[in-house]
Amino acid sequence: MGDDEALSSALKQKHPGAMEALYDRYNVHIQRVLVRVMGIDFNLEDMLHEVFVAAFSNASSLKDGSRLKAWITSIAVFTARQKIR
């Protein structure tokens, strides 16, 4: 999918391989973010799934494709904070 701008464009256009490419590119990063926020005593796979579902559902809200990593990181932090509450 090329760089983040190309990937974000593909996500917005609902390209068939875009979701898989986003997951492949950022799943390790998002796992690390979630562990930092939540600690190690939680169901990582469920939370990871929630983050990517939210990202796929809200791809149209991404304004600047070059900020894709920051955008999905903020979704992860927001999702984790909701779980803590």
Side-chain angles (χ1 to χ4, degrees):
M1 285 285 157
D3 63 2
D4 282 353
E5 288 187 37
L7 179 53
S8 67
S9 177
L11 285 167
K12 289 177 185 180
Q13 296 173 5
K14 308 257 187 243
H15 186 276
M19 291 186 270
E20 184 178 353
L22 180 68
Y23 182 83
D24 289 345
R25 187 173 295 180
Y26 290 114
N27 80 67
V28 172
H29 170 71
I30 297 303
Q31 287 179 33
R32 289 180 183 149
V33 169
L34 292 173
V35 168
R36 285 184 193 140
V37 174
M38 300 293 293
I40 58 173
D41 192 28
F42 74 103
N43 192 340
L44 178 63
E45 292 303 316
D46 286 345
M47 183 84 64
L48 188 65
H49 177 75
E50 286 183 44
V51 169
F52 281 96
V53 167
F56 301 146
S57 299
N58 297 305
S60 62
S61 71
L62 179 59
K63 304 284 188 249
D64 181 1
S66 66
R67 306 246 329 124
L68 183 60
K69 185 175 184 178
W71 176 76
I72 196 165
T73 300
S74 69
I75 292 172
V77 170
F78 182 75
T79 302
R81 287 175 55 193
Q82 281 185 315
K83 288 292 181 188
I84 291 170
R85 291 181 188 168

